[in-house]
Amino acid sequence: MPRLSDHPPRLAAAALAAVLMAALLVLLPGAAAQAAPVLLSQGRPVTASSQENGGTPASAAVDGDNATRWSSQFADPQWIQVDLGAPAQLSQVVLRWETAYAKAYRIELSTDGTGWSTAYSTTTATGGVGTHTVTGTARYVRVYGTQRATEWGYSLYEFQVFGTSGGGPTLPGGGDLGPNVIVFDPSTPNIQGRLDEVFRQQESAQFGAGRYQFLFKPGTYNGLNAQIGFYTSISGLGLSPDDTTINGDVTVDAGWFGGNATQNFWRSAENLALNPVNGTDRWAVSQAAPFRRMHVKGGLNLAPDGFGWASGGYIADSKIDGQVGNYSQQQWYTRDSAIGSWGNGVWNQVFSGVQGAPAQSFPNPPYTTLDTTPVSREKPFLYLDGSEYKVFVPAKRVNARGTSWGNGAPQGTSLPLSRFYVVKPGTTAATMNQALDQGLNLLFTPGVYHVDQTLRVNRADTVVLGLGLATLVPDNGVTAMKVADVDGVRLAGFLIDAGPVDSPSLLEVGPAGTTTDHAADPTTVQDVFIRVGGAGPGRADVGMVINNHDTIVDHTWIWRADHGDGVGWETNRADYGFRVNGDDVLATGLFVEHFNKYDVQWNGERGRTVFYQNEKAYDAPDQAAIQNGSTRGYAAYKVADSVTVHEGWGLGSYCYYNVDPTIRQDHGFQAPVRPGVKFHDLLVVSLGGKGQYEHVVNTTGAPTSGTSTTPSTVVSFP
């Protein structure tokens, strides 16, 4: 929209008077008896009904810059809303309109963002600077326009709310990152020694309490081999992976476990460029070990030394110049990346939006290849802008292909660390909720956090980001975290570990029964892992519940433990792993294993899954324990009978009933037979003959048999 006037904005007389009065009150004797009104809205989280284009976001109306503006689409009504972070006693609202102003509008107040009261209303506004006295206590303030004065939309240079806060001390944003975030620059002495020290501690600490994050400032590092153990993350601090180059390796191997990589879980690498010493980097992992935003200037070997067993992993937004050697990896998912080539595949290799991916050929070789990813948005990440820490929040991409960073500056938004409450070990759940209520995002530093109340993410576009596999443990049977029916929440990079008292769920995204469309700004859940048992007794009815429509779940491992402490058919009881009630939910890289009943229950319409890996619970004591009415066994992935549209690509389920190898499972997948419900490239496998499947999906697909560990496959269903 062209600006209808370019006159310089003028300071409103009333606003100037308010500032002068505030200063005078500070100087007058006895002024401390009543707090002076202050500007509460600047830099606070803000949302709007719409925006005209990318250059006129809602945030421009609260940035303190009279040269930037929010403008809406050209329709009535429209609104803009600011979250003050905590209830405040309000005194004044100043609206600095661009020439495209509102003739009729209301100023509305709310304590919860849901119920609104009118503090001011007019139908005869004339634009310019409107200064309005308001009274009341509110956390949320909204300007609700009902009639435009021009053919354009509503356009505000500044939306200022004045008053006094009164909810006790305000929590600070920003600060240091705590003792277990280890930051290097190229001049740091003995980097290799520090890397080795942490690796010695974490190499085999599968269920230990140690948590570490290595951060490398932009620059070049020579001669390093960063071996990455349990609960250890390594990341570059540039805006692009190529800003931080290691002439060396970032290595995961399986020497600690006799060359078997099937338990190399819970670690990550992100945002680095590597020049491997011998031309090929080794990343021999299984579940919950993402390789994101990496540039390997050579090859990548996904198998342990000696090519022992490995059980699947995940690559996203990465560039591997040479060949990715899959070797012994049973399954793998690669998304929105570029590779030189791909070698080998065992059972289930899935690619979406990958330049250089092998052609579709399932089941021989077992490649499922989608040209693009339907919807994606990369994981938020910490970086340095000069000497200032910020979190970059990448933009949504539709039908994505290739990396998000290879062609110019990445698209998205930068948030200063001052907009985050930095959570450190010992922080209480009440403090975390206070920070969220105050309008801060959360940055969890490495550690284990017991929460005795549910963490409630109620504000749109909140970022909850973990470093070093930060871990939440719900106490007293609470749900660890719940997200409200709001747009654009980003949850990323943390683990939720069930506590010994049964929780109804461990993570819930959205309330039950919501009908809100979030397609324009969906919530994303990325590298958020769920564990029930293993580190000790844990119980939950269901691991993760997705109620909000349009949510993207991008790489999760939801695991009822089959080994470790606190493991047994009833000891770490958890009947359901992943339940989807929302419509238009997309899962990319879905790993769910070992639940007592259904591992996945999909009740929402138009759901899509790109890559699914599952193992049924090993420890079922006998056939009766998993009997589902007249059906033998609970499906690994069940689409509700009421669903009319659903689609999945590259889905596998394996059984290893080692307590009772005579158990038979009627099918791995269950779905209504309708034209809109489609599956592509399915398989079931009996591992060593410990239990068998009768069919792949419903009554389609040949049974498994014997001890040969040969998949039974279905290329297309129905």
Side-chain angles (χ1 to χ4, degrees):
M1 173 184 131
R3 291 198 180 172
L4 302 184
S5 69
D6 293 315
H7 58 78
R10 293 167 294 182
L11 184 65
L16 179 58
V19 174
L20 293 174
M21 181 60 72
L24 181 60
L25 285 171
V26 172
L27 299 174
L28 287 174
Q34 56 179 6
V38 296
L39 178 58
L40 302 172
S41 53
Q42 188 161 310
R44 301 303 307 169
V46 63
T47 54
S49 53
S50 67
Q51 67 184 57
E52 181 189 352
N53 55 55
T56 59
S59 58
V62 295
D63 62 2
D65 185 346
N66 290 323
T68 63
R69 65 193 176 99
W70 163 71
S71 63
S72 74
Q73 295 178 355
F74 307 162
D76 296 317
Q78 301 287 342
W79 54 263
I80 183 170
Q81 168 186 325
V82 65
D83 177 359
L84 304 178
Q89 186 66 41
L90 305 185
S91 59
Q92 188 180 84
V93 172
V94 177
L95 303 176
R96 190 177 308 282
W97 294 100
E98 200 241 3
T99 306
Y101 65 93
K103 181 179 179 182
Y105 62 91
R106 303 189 298 267
I107 296 173
E108 299 179 326
L109 310 180
S110 175
T111 57
D112 59 6
T114 302
W116 297 90
S117 61
T118 299
Y120 173 82
S121 178
T122 181
T123 59
T124 58
T126 57
V129 177
T131 302
H132 309 294
T133 298
V134 297
T135 57
T137 299
R139 172 176 168 174
Y140 302 89
V141 183
R142 181 168 73 177
V143 178
Y144 195 98
T146 56
Q147 183 180 355
R148 292 165 292 145
T150 72
E151 63 184 294
W152 311 110
Y154 297 85
S155 184
L156 277 169
Y157 287 117
E158 284 295 295
F159 171 19
Q160 296 177 310
V161 180
F162 293 86
T164 56
S165 57
T170 299
L171 293 172
D176 71 89
L177 299 177
N180 288 348
V181 175
I182 302 164
V183 183
F184 300 121
D185 65 45
S187 66
T188 302
N190 195 29
I191 296 175
Q192 187 65 57
R194 190 72 175 104
L195 294 170
D196 291 345
E197 177 188 358
V198 171
F199 179 66
R200 283 192 296 270
Q201 177 181 322
Q202 298 300 114
E203 179 183 11
S204 59
Q206 182 170 180
F207 298 109
R211 302 287 188 274
Y212 292 92
Q213 173 76 57
F214 293 122
L215 296 175
F216 284 75
K217 294 182 179 181
T220 301
Y221 301 78
N222 294 314
L224 297 181
N225 181 19
Q227 299 181 82
I228 306 300
F230 284 100
Y231 312 108
T232 305
S233 298
I234 184 170
S235 306
L237 283 171
L239 194 55
S240 165
D242 289 331
D243 293 341
T244 310
T245 297
I246 293 178
N247 291 320
D249 296 88
V250 171
T251 301
V252 177
D253 208 343
W256 74 278
F257 200 48
N260 178 349
T262 59
Q263 292 184 24
N264 278 352
F265 312 139
W266 302 306
R267 62 200 76 197
S268 67
E270 183 173 1
N271 205 31
L272 292 164
L274 305 177
N275 280 306
V277 170
N278 296 316
T280 300
D281 191 59
R282 185 183 302 278
W283 187 255
V285 299
S286 290
Q287 291 81 6
F291 196 81
R292 285 185 182 269
R293 203 177 174 78
M294 296 287 287
H295 185 187
V296 181
K297 299 177 180 181
L300 185 64
N301 186 332
L302 303 180
D305 187 28
F307 303 101
W309 292 343
S311 186
Y314 172 93
I315 293 171
D317 202 27
S318 294
K319 187 175 190 291
I320 293 90
D321 293 348
Q323 183 178 75
V324 180
N326 181 266
Y327 301 110
S328 56
Q329 281 288 354
Q330 295 162 357
Q331 64 275 320
W332 196 279
Y333 175 52
T334 306
R335 178 182 63 71
D336 297 354
S337 295
I339 62 176
S341 61
W342 188 275
N344 198 51
V346 179
W347 294 332
N348 189 30
Q349 315 292 312
V350 180
F351 309 84
S352 67
V354 178
Q355 297 166 343
Q360 169 71 31
S361 57
F362 186 89
N364 189 24
Y367 298 147
T368 299
T369 301
L370 285 72
D371 189 57
T372 62
T373 303
V375 185
S376 60
R377 182 165 55 197
E378 300 305 330
K379 173 181 171 286
F381 61 92
L382 191 69
Y383 78 103
L384 276 174
D385 184 3
S387 60
E388 182 183 2
Y389 282 109
K390 293 183 177 180
V391 171
F392 190 78
V393 184
K396 185 182 75 170
R397 297 200 291 168
V398 177
N399 295 324
R401 180 172 171 81
T403 69
S404 69
W405 50 267
N407 297 304
Q411 299 298 302
T413 303
S414 288
L415 301 175
L417 195 62
S418 60
R419 294 280 299 278
F420 287 79
Y421 183 74
V422 180
V423 186
K424 297 173 185 173
T427 304
T428 65
T431 299
M432 299 177 207
N433 275 327
Q434 181 185 347
L436 290 167
D437 288 344
Q438 194 177 299
L440 292 171
N441 305 291
L442 296 183
L443 179 70
F444 281 92
T445 65
V448 178
Y449 300 89
H450 283 262
V451 294
D452 59 0
Q453 58 182 257
T454 298
L455 302 184
R456 298 189 178 277
V457 182
N458 293 327
R459 176 176 55 84
D461 298 315
T462 299
V463 177
V464 179
L465 177 62
L467 301 178
L469 274 295
T471 302
L472 305 179
V473 183
D475 291 335
N476 305 319
V478 303
T479 295
M481 184 179 294
K482 291 185 178 182
V483 176
D485 188 9
V486 294
D487 279 350
V489 171
R490 276 80 157 179
L491 309 180
F494 56 91
L495 169 65
I496 300 177
D497 218 346
V501 179
D502 186 71
S503 293
S505 62
L506 297 176
L507 172 65
E508 291 185 20
V509 178
T514 176
T515 59
T516 308
D517 188 317
H518 297 290
D521 189 12
T523 286
T524 52
V525 181
Q526 299 177 285
D527 301 348
V528 174
F529 309 122
I530 303 290
R531 181 170 67 191
V532 183
R539 296 176 66 91
D541 296 344
V542 58
M544 184 185 299
V545 180
I546 307 296
N547 291 318
N548 276 357
H549 300 325
D550 309 293
T551 301
I552 301 170
V553 179
D554 175 45
H555 190 226
T556 186
W557 186 35
I558 303 172
W559 186 60
R560 176 183 166 268
D562 62 274
H563 63 275
D565 294 332
V567 173
W569 184 249
E570 295 296 342
T571 305
N572 61 328
R573 183 86 193 190
D575 284 349
Y576 309 105
F578 182 60
R579 180 180 294 153
V580 179
N581 297 319
D583 295 339
D584 301 294
V585 172
L586 171 66
T588 51
L590 180 61
F591 299 74
V592 188
E593 297 188 305
H594 306 311
F595 286 83
N596 295 74
K597 292 185 178 179
Y598 292 117
D599 298 279
V600 170
Q601 292 176 296
W602 208 298
N603 302 320
E605 283 287 357
R606 297 176 299 282
R608 292 175 291 183
T609 296
V610 183
F611 181 88
Y612 174 63
Q613 187 265 327
N614 166 264
E615 286 180 350
K616 294 302 299 174
Y618 294 172
D619 56 344
D622 49 40
Q623 187 77 51
I626 62 164
Q627 193 68 20
N628 182 13
S630 61
T631 302
R632 291 178 294 179
Y634 290 82
Y637 188 110
K638 175 179 168 56
V639 180
D641 293 342
S642 60
V643 170
T644 60
V645 177
H646 186 91
E647 195 159 10
W649 297 262
L651 287 71
S653 176
Y654 321 140
C655 72
Y656 185 70
Y657 288 116
N658 60 345
V659 175
D660 182 358
T662 68
I663 289 175
R664 301 194 73 85
Q665 176 96 15
D666 275 350
H667 43 236
F669 302 88
Q670 183 179 352
V673 181
R674 294 191 177 98
V677 178
K678 303 174 184 178
F679 289 108
H680 315 274
D681 301 353
L682 301 170
L683 66 112
V684 295
V685 178
S686 169
L687 303 178
K690 304 293 187 181
Q692 302 288 346
Y693 292 92
E694 297 292 347
H695 303 284
V696 179
V697 51
N698 295 357
T699 58
T700 299
T704 58
S705 62
T707 61
S708 62
T709 314
T710 300
S712 176
T713 62
V714 169
V715 173
S716 181
F717 176 87

